[in-house]
Each structure stands twice: as structure tokens, then as C-alpha cells.
Amino acid sequence: MIQLIHFRLCPKSRSIRLALAELRIDVELKDERPWEWRQEFVRLNPAGEVPVLVEEDGRPICGAYAISEYLAEAGGHVQEEGGLFPGDRERRAEARRLVDWFQGKLDREATEVLLEGRLYSRLKAGASGAPDAETLRNARTNLRYHMRYLDHLSEERDWLSGPEMSFADLCAASQISCLDYLGEIDWSDQGFARQWYARMKSRPSLRAILSERVPGAPAPPAHYADPDF
Amino acid sequence: MIQLIHFRLCPKSRSIRLALAELRIDVELKDERPWEWRQEFVRLNPAGEVPVLVEEDGRPICGAYAISEYLAEAGGHVQEEGGLFPGDRERRAEARRLVDWFQGKLDREATEVLLEGRLYSRLKAGASGAPDAETLRNARTNLRYHMRYLDHLSEERDWLSGPEMSFADLCAASQISCLDYLGEIDWSDQGFARQWYARMKSRPSLRAILSERVPGAPAPPAHYADPDF
């Protein structure tokens, strides 16, 4: 069986878990703490990062970008219907712009800092260099800006990148779910984003992830797994 | 005619310029200084980042990820020969792993810091927060590690991701060329990487870029544009 090496509170790992579940591809999950730099793992992915998809013949596909495009290419042709990047070439470009926005910009400007400061620094033995108070404050300011953008997209469109769900929705939901685990999302001002996330939360792919607990991490807030939040 | 909005010393802009030249697609270049957050530019790309490809009907394709996949999809099918991601699905996954390595990891760990500290901080009026000496020192340490990896890939393979040139080579050459502009690359220890870069430098696509000067920036070292360096 295909394996996915992942960390349960890594948003990029979550985006690939969602993609696999939406595409109905069964995988065996293997937990990895990438910051431990296990030799066997680094041999698979010299970048030392999750997620890594391991094919049945042992070949690794490394990183959310390579894996998502690899999954999208199954069958050898660009899929105009269903799949991770539905629609024509322009619509797929819009989905990819937003994948980059959520996995890149939102992650860099908010999620990564808050996960590092609030969670990873607790899980890593002898961790040093946790973000200081000002860095955390800046990340929260950035997050408010990102939530307004998510709200704007949710108001304008059925799904974030257009009329059909795409990998952009899965990437956004992955980021938001990790931030929500930390209690960092203020849902009171985000009517449209909230409706979009409620729809995401009702999907079996995300429900499975939200029902998990993460060993060593504090419990999430009560609304975290509740579709009626 | 298609337009490419870019900044001449932005590695991601360079990767798309190389891709367009290798695919023989003519574009009109428009210079942008993204840190000025020009309203007209931010309306095209809310992320405020270059590169942006503007189609003849005015539609923007934003960011190196969306643009490269958009160009690779021209014709509506995955191209197994030539193009930005040649070969089968596994070979394309390997090219994308390395695109992520160079545009992501190398950029974040070295290029971005050195460009910011040595160049952008001079170009930006009233810039604040230039990286300190320790940050620059760490970026140079990371760069030595990346150059060893580039040397290793160049020794093992004809091109960085396999037997044919791919977008991974264009991304690596874009990063290296910006670092080389700053005189940050020590070529003395990098025999195989040097041979690979000499081949890249002899291609008309990169030659055109290396022959340019950047207004407001210091001149590059003498070997910068020379294929026999």
C-alpha cells in the first residue's frame, strides 16, 4: 500500500491527506517528527520535510507541490473535471495562485510562526529560538488580514478558486484547521469564511483529521471539530 | 503581445523569463519594484509579488508556480517530451521536488536574505530592518551546503532532475545567477556545478539576462556574464 509520511499538525501534510481522501486513494499513514532529522527519513527526502508519499515500489514523492501535481496527473492527462485542479487552463492557474497564497504566503506570514511558537517549541526537546512576543503579535495581525481575504473569496465564489472545489480549498482548510487547533481564529467577524469552513468541516476527508488528537500537544478548543461552530 | 511584469534581480522572475525564452514565447517585459506596492500592480496580483504574466486579454497569471504550470499545460495535455517538465510522471515529480528546493528552500535559506541585505535595502527608499551580520553569515553557511548539493546533482545526472533539461535547471540557474551577481558564489570548489552552470550560461535564454545591468544596483563581478568563468 502507498504510504504517506506526515506530521499531524503540519498544514502541508494535511493538504495531501485531504487530497488523497477526496480522490479516494487509500494510504498507510506514518508519523514523522521532521525536526528530529532521522537519517532514514532524510535519505528519502534530503529536504527533511513532510509530507512524503512513498509508492509501493519504495519510490518517494517529496513535498506537497510535487505530490499534489503527481496526484493531479494520474492517468497522464490534465483532468478538466473533478480532481485537484478542475476547469480550464485559466481556472487551474487561479487555483494554483491560491494554493501558493495559502501554502506559501499564509503559512509564512502566520501559521508557521504560531505553530512554532505555541506548539513545536513544546514538542521539540531542548528547543531554542521560539518566536518572541512581537513576532507572534505580527503573525496575528497578518492572520486577520488573511481571514478578511478568505472571507472576500468565500463571498464572491462558490469555492475559493471558482465554481468547483479545488486543491486551493484543501490547502486553505489545512492551514485554517491548524490555526483553529491553536484557538487562533476569531470566527465572530468571518461570516462567509465561516460558512465555507463549515462546508469543509462536514466533508468526511476533513472530519477524519479533526477527530484526531496529537500526542504531546494540548487539546484543541471545543468548537474545533464541530461543523456547527 | 503577452506581458511579463518582473524585477530584474528577482530569481523567480528570472525563472519565468528563462522558461518563456526556452519555449520561444515572445513577451513584452515590464519592470516592477514590488516593494512599492503600486495600486495598479496590487490590483493585478493581491499578493504584491512578481512575476505576473498578463495575457493579451488582460488576464493576469500570478506567481512563478501558477505561471510555470500554465506554460507547461499549453496544448491542454501533459507534455512528455520537451517542455518544462519532460519525462514520465515520476520524472516530472523529481523535477518539481527540485523546483521546490531551489525556488523554496534555497531562496528562503540564502538568496532572499542576501538579496535583501546587499541589494534591496539599497534600492528601497527609507528601508528598515536590513538583515544583521549574523543573519547574513547564516545565509552564507546555508549557501555552501546548497552549492554542495548542486555539485552532487550535477555529478550524478546530465541535468539537475534527469537526462533532459527541466524547469528545475531554470530555477536553479535563476537563483545562482542572482547570487553570482552579488559575488556570493565561491566557484573554486564546485567542479561539477560549475560545468553545469557553464552550460546554462551558454544558452541564449540566460545570456540575454546576464547581459543586462540593473538600474541603481552595483555592477556585477567580471565573471558574471562570462561562460568561461
Side-chain angles (χ1 to χ4, degrees):
Chain A
M1 188 184 268
I2 302 175
Q3 284 185 347
L4 182 73
I5 306 177
H6 76 132
F7 175 67
R8 284 174 201 273
L9 276 170
C10 157
K12 290 178 187 172
S13 296
R14 286 187 169 198
S15 72
I16 296 301
R17 290 182 67 189
L18 291 176
L20 289 163
E22 292 290 339
L23 296 169
R24 290 176 175 62
I25 298 172
D26 281 335
V27 290
E28 179 192 350
L29 293 174
K30 302 265 277 183
D31 288 288
E32 183 70 36
R33 296 171 158 232
W35 56 84
E36 293 177 352
W37 287 88
R38 276 196 320 118
Q39 281 211 343
E40 196 190 341
F41 177 61
V42 176
R43 266 198 300 272
L44 275 178
N45 184 8
E49 291 166 359
V50 286
V52 174
L53 191 74
V54 184
E55 281 284 9
E56 299 197 10
D57 61 4
R59 201 184 335 221
I61 313 290
C62 298
Y65 165 44
I67 299 171
S68 59
E69 296 291 343
Y70 179 81
L71 294 174
E73 279 181 353
H77 292 283
V78 172
Q79 295 172 330
E80 299 238 339
E81 287 177 47
L84 301 181
F85 299 102
D88 62 14
R89 194 171 160 225
E90 278 73 26
R91 287 247 306 283
R92 288 196 296 274
E94 176 63 0
R96 290 185 175 115
R97 175 181 80 82
L98 291 172
V99 167
D100 210 14
W101 185 287
F102 296 114
Q103 306 262 61
K105 193 173 169 66
L106 169 57
D107 191 64
R108 199 166 57 234
E109 294 177 350
T111 317
E112 188 180 58
V113 174
L114 293 164
L115 276 173
E116 182 69 38
R118 304 246 347 257
L119 183 79
Y120 290 7
S121 56
R122 294 170 62 154
L123 297 176
K124 294 180 192 178
S128 63
D132 57 25
E134 194 192 339
T135 305
L136 291 174
R137 205 158 45 236
N138 289 342
R140 288 181 177 123
T141 304
N142 293 339
L143 178 55
R144 280 196 290 278
Y145 167 76
H146 278 285
M147 288 305 294
R148 283 201 297 274
Y149 190 55
L150 187 68
D151 200 54
H152 163 74
L153 291 172
S154 306
E155 181 176 8
E156 299 276 311
R157 300 166 175 183
D158 295 341
W159 296 93
L160 298 182
S161 68
E164 289 172 89
M165 195 183 73
S166 77
F167 188 54
D169 295 278
L170 307 186
C171 293
S174 299
Q175 295 279 332
I176 297 300
S177 69
C178 288
L179 290 159
D180 203 33
Y181 189 102
L182 301 174
E184 291 284 353
I185 309 273
D186 175 5
W187 287 109
S188 61
D189 290 338
Q190 322 293 345
F192 297 103
R194 190 174 176 146
Q195 286 169 38
W196 163 82
Y197 192 53
R199 273 189 293 150
M200 290 303 302
K201 270 177 147 179
S202 69
R203 297 184 81 86
S205 60
L206 185 55
R207 262 212 316 267
I209 292 176
L210 299 184
S211 67
E212 296 171 354
R213 289 300 161 265
V214 182
H223 71 263
Y224 169 72
D226 183 357
D228 300 315
F229 59 110
Chain B
M1 188 184 275
I2 302 174
Q3 284 184 347
L4 182 73
I5 308 177
H6 76 131
F7 175 66
R8 283 176 201 272
L9 277 170
C10 158
K12 290 178 186 173
S13 296
R14 285 187 169 198
S15 73
I16 297 301
R17 290 182 66 190
L18 291 176
L20 290 162
E22 292 289 339
L23 296 170
R24 291 179 173 62
I25 298 172
D26 281 335
V27 290
E28 180 191 351
L29 293 174
K30 302 265 278 184
D31 288 287
E32 184 69 37
R33 296 171 159 232
W35 56 84
E36 293 177 353
W37 287 87
R38 275 196 320 118
Q39 281 212 342
E40 194 190 341
F41 177 60
V42 177
R43 266 198 300 274
L44 275 180
N45 183 8
E49 291 166 359
V50 285
V52 174
L53 191 74
V54 184
E55 281 285 10
E56 297 195 12
D57 62 6
R59 199 182 341 215
I61 313 290
C62 298
Y65 166 42
I67 299 171
S68 59
E69 296 290 344
Y70 179 81
L71 294 174
E73 278 182 354
H77 292 282
V78 172
Q79 294 172 331
E80 299 238 339
E81 288 176 45
L84 301 182
F85 299 101
D88 62 14
R89 196 172 159 224
E90 279 72 27
R91 287 247 306 282
R92 288 198 294 275
E94 175 63 1
R96 288 183 176 116
R97 176 181 78 84
L98 291 172
V99 166
D100 211 13
W101 185 287
F102 295 114
Q103 305 262 60
K105 193 171 170 66
L106 169 57
D107 191 62
R108 199 165 59 234
E109 294 178 350
T111 318
E112 190 179 57
V113 174
L114 292 164
L115 276 173
E116 183 69 39
R118 303 242 352 253
L119 183 80
Y120 289 9
S121 57
R122 294 171 63 154
L123 296 176
K124 295 178 191 177
S128 62
D132 58 26
E134 194 193 339
T135 305
L136 292 174
R137 206 158 44 232
N138 289 341
R140 289 182 178 122
T141 304
N142 294 338
L143 178 54
R144 279 195 292 277
Y145 167 76
H146 278 284
M147 288 305 294
R148 282 200 297 272
Y149 190 55
L150 187 68
D151 200 52
H152 162 74
L153 292 171
S154 306
E155 182 177 4
E156 298 276 310
R157 300 166 174 182
D158 295 343
W159 296 92
L160 298 182
S161 68
E164 291 173 87
M165 195 183 74
S166 77
F167 189 52
D169 295 279
L170 307 185
C171 293
S174 299
Q175 296 278 332
I176 297 299
S177 69
C178 288
L179 290 160
D180 204 34
Y181 189 101
L182 301 174
E184 291 285 352
I185 309 272
D186 174 6
W187 288 109
S188 59
D189 290 337
Q190 322 292 346
F192 297 104
R194 190 176 176 145
Q195 286 170 37
W196 163 82
Y197 193 53
R199 274 189 293 153
M200 290 304 303
K201 270 178 147 179
S202 69
R203 297 185 81 87
S205 60
L206 185 54
R207 262 212 317 267
I209 291 176
L210 299 185
S211 68
E212 296 172 354
R213 290 301 161 264
V214 182
H223 70 264
Y224 169 72
D226 184 357
D228 301 313
F229 58 114

